[in-house]
Amino acid sequence: MIDVAAYLVFFLCLALIYGLVCLGLNLQWGFAGLFNVGVVGFFIVGAYTVAILASPAAADRVGGFGLPIPLALLAAMAAAGLVAFVVGIPTLRLREDYLAIATFGIAVTIQLVALNWETLTGGTHGRVSIPRPLASVFVDRVNANLFFLAVTLAVVGTADWALERMVRSPWGRVLRAIREDETAAGALGKNAFAYRLQAFVIGSALMGLGGGLYASFIGYVGADDALPTLTFQIWVMLIVGGSGNNKGALIGAVSVWGLWSFSGWFMAAVLPSAFAVRAGALQVILIGLVLATVLLLRPKGLVGEEAVVSRGARVE
Amino acid sequence: MLELRGVTKRLGATLAVDGVSFTVRPGSITGLIGPNGAGKTTLFNTVAGHYAPTRGSIRFAGDEIAGCAPYAIFRKGIVRTFQIPRPFPEMTVLENLMLVAANQPGERFWNTWIRPGRVAEHEKANRARAMEALEFLNLTHLAGQQARSLSGGQLKLLELGRAFMADPKLVLLDEPAAGVNPTLMNAIAERIRALNARGMTIFLIEHNMPLVMSLCDPILVMANGRLLLEGDAARVRGDARVIEAYLGGDAAAAGAPHG
């Protein structure tokens, strides 16, 4: 029983971290219509930033400054936001498919850099010994996970609250207007490019924050964490939960990650060991099936899009 | 107020607008008519910044605006409406209007955090103004409805509401009464006069001749991308070139433009 509870805590930490990344994607896609297929790139930039800044010094590795985790997390947001800014400037003026190509390309490039720039990223060995917040206080494994869950809940709760406030502000109203009809919004004085860039940078910063939390939670980040599978998973979470709805993004993250984890355990338990290597592929197929089923039965996701009305324009 | 000199716009192989020069006087309701394909909407799109002119100069209140982006032109004090209404369908009617108000500091995301009081104040003022616009349009009962649920005629009114909200110096109306019934047409004409009386200069494209003749002075006539003539209703009605432009050379003798 204790084991199950302990696992549940571990599971929720990861699910909520992915939920945070999903919130970032929801701002970009759900509210601004930006097709980012390089989610993992921004996630991993955040993860390595925390790894480099917060871990203790090690031979042959750049960084290892031992900075406190909150500072490192802020830097992770800034680094991912900066990458988004640089990618966004040339691409967000163009048609949306260019953003898809550019983000996918940048994510693959970052993965290759992660694999090969060993002094910075540790290459295939990755970067290790990334500390958790207050690691010296919460030494016991169960307590450490519980504390980390509290931290993650606080971060995700704050992000959700802030995003809800922003999409219901006049800024969010302009964002929705641009998503619905860019030409009409432009004729009414709204600079679509500037708003897209802001949504793209803020959303990517949240992805970077998610990556930073992940690195701190697992204590390790390697080039394997930079594979496009994560982008696929986050997209499925958003679509299954319901894009355009922050609660949907979080529910999607928890349910899809639950299914992913359970299916992994199930296949390991049921399949003969000869098939174990292929279990990973089966998992992807399973998630694809779930996605197709949800799209058929509930095309707007489990929760569906919420009709957002800005605070100042509510009508009783 | 608005001054075009030799404005030319090439679209593919055709000269949609070909060396057009004219001035829209401040305070006027200036009409632009001409047969389909004359280049009227292209001219509007060029003034509103959707196209950059191939050649020529467009000056507004002394500034050169040719080639500026649409959002920049709006900020100079020109608002345009669309021939086929372009509301934000998922947003409420009230939001559609509140969005238009310029100078809402809350449209910069950081002000939601550092100046929430000022943002709320502006929202309150904008809401009051939007309610005033809805009253002006007789659409108050639809404030909380999504714009997608509005009828074609109501959407035409909502386009005028945007002009009301923006309080611009110049309004470009692209066929404000196209496809509406006669009662609504009169209501729209009345609103256009009211906007003009509030100090907005109006420049409009319209196919409905009685409406143009009663509302506009002066009237500009375009054909084949060129400006044919400029004058008051009586002059335009009596000019043989106008009849020819609408009906084609041989049929010119058959009668005046419809209406």
Side-chain angles (χ1 to χ4, degrees), chain A residues 173 180-181 190 310 314, chain B residues 86 89 95 99 123 127:
Chain A
R173 188 165 60 212
E180 286 191 35
D181 189 337
K190 317 304 178 197
S310 41
R314 288 201 191 110
Chain B
R86 298 184 80 135
E95 278 193 298
L99 176 87
E123 280 292 86
R127 186 194 172 106

Side-chain angles (χ1 to χ4, degrees), chain B residues 104-175:
Chain B
Q104 162 56 282
E107 289 189 356
R108 300 169 199 279
F109 68 85
W110 51 90
N111 281 335
T112 298
W113 303 104
I114 59 176
R115 296 196 185 92
R118 268 190 62 205
V119 172
E121 251 169 59
H122 271 82
E123 280 292 86
K124 222 175 139 193
N126 290 342
R127 186 194 172 106
R129 184 159 177 77
M131 291 310 292
E132 206 185 314
L134 286 172
E135 217 161 287
F136 173 72
L137 302 168
N138 251 335
L139 295 177
T140 308
H141 57 292
L142 297 173
Q145 301 251 3
Q146 282 186 318
R148 65 186 315 162
S149 68
L150 266 58
S151 71
Q154 288 165 338
L155 289 175
K156 281 289 197 190
L157 286 169
L158 190 60
E159 291 274 319
L160 285 182
R162 285 177 169 169
F164 184 101
M165 283 303 289
D167 199 17
K169 299 188 188 101
L170 175 66
V171 189
L172 306 175
L173 301 173
D174 194 351
E175 298 197 31

Side-chain angles (χ1 to χ4, degrees), chain B:
Chain B
M1 167 150 267
L2 180 70
E3 203 181 325
L4 281 75
R5 287 291 163 263
V7 171
T8 298
K9 179 63 194 174
R10 182 184 288 280
L11 290 176
T14 51
L15 277 176
V17 177
D18 185 4
V20 170
S21 303
F22 63 82
T23 303
V24 173
R25 273 186 292 111
S28 68
I29 302 182
T30 301
L32 176 60
I33 63 170
N36 289 324
K40 305 183 298 294
T41 294
T42 304
L43 183 76
F44 257 40
N45 284 338
T46 310
V47 173
H50 299 282
Y51 299 141
T54 311
R55 272 195 305 280
S57 135
I58 305 172
R59 296 179 76 81
F60 178 69
D63 299 334
E64 181 67 44
I65 59 165
C68 286
Y71 74 87
I73 287 182
F74 175 92
R75 291 175 189 178
K76 296 256 180 207
I78 301 179
V79 67
R80 70 151 314 162
T81 68
F82 293 93
Q83 189 176 339
I84 297 160
R86 298 184 80 135
F88 303 108
E90 307 291 325
M91 287 164 51
T92 67
V93 172
L94 188 60
E95 278 193 298
N96 262 274
L97 290 172
M98 285 175 70
L99 176 87
V100 182
N103 302 323
Q104 162 56 282
E107 289 189 356
R108 300 169 199 279
F109 68 85
W110 51 90
N111 281 335
T112 298
W113 303 104
I114 59 176
R115 296 196 185 92
R118 268 190 62 205
V119 172
E121 251 169 59
H122 271 82
E123 280 292 86
K124 222 175 139 193
N126 290 342
R127 186 194 172 106
R129 184 159 177 77
M131 291 310 292
E132 206 185 314
L134 286 172
E135 217 161 287
F136 173 72
L137 302 168
N138 251 335
L139 295 177
T140 308
H141 57 292
L142 297 173
Q145 301 251 3
Q146 282 186 318
R148 65 186 315 162
S149 68
L150 266 58
S151 71
Q154 288 165 338
L155 289 175
K156 281 289 197 190
L157 286 169
L158 190 60
E159 291 274 319
L160 285 182
R162 285 177 169 169
F164 184 101
M165 283 303 289
D167 199 17
K169 299 188 188 101
L170 175 66
V171 189
L172 306 175
L173 301 173
D174 194 351
E175 298 197 31
V180 305
N181 65 51
T183 317
L184 185 58
M185 186 183 302
N186 289 334
I188 287 173
E190 196 185 300
R191 303 298 190 285
I192 293 172
R193 278 201 193 89
L195 290 177
N196 184 240
R198 283 170 164 262
M200 299 178 204
T201 303
I202 312 271
F203 184 30
L204 64 86
I205 298 176
E206 187 49 65
H207 276 300
N208 187 287
M209 289 305 154
L211 185 72
V212 173
M213 297 292 169
S214 69
L215 208 56
C216 303
D217 184 24
I219 298 168
L220 308 169
V221 187
M222 269 183 87
N224 296 321
R226 291 172 191 234
L227 191 66
L228 211 56
L229 87 157
E230 175 177 353
D232 62 12
R235 171 140 184 245
V236 168
R237 209 182 273 126
D239 197 291
R241 287 173 299 171
V242 179
I243 300 165
E244 192 181 310
Y246 268 90
L247 300 177
D250 294 337
H258 61 94

Side-chain angles (χ1 to χ4, degrees), chain A residues 14 83 103 177 206 273 302:
Chain A
L14 271 183
V83 173
T103 49
L206 287 176
S273 55
L302 294 174

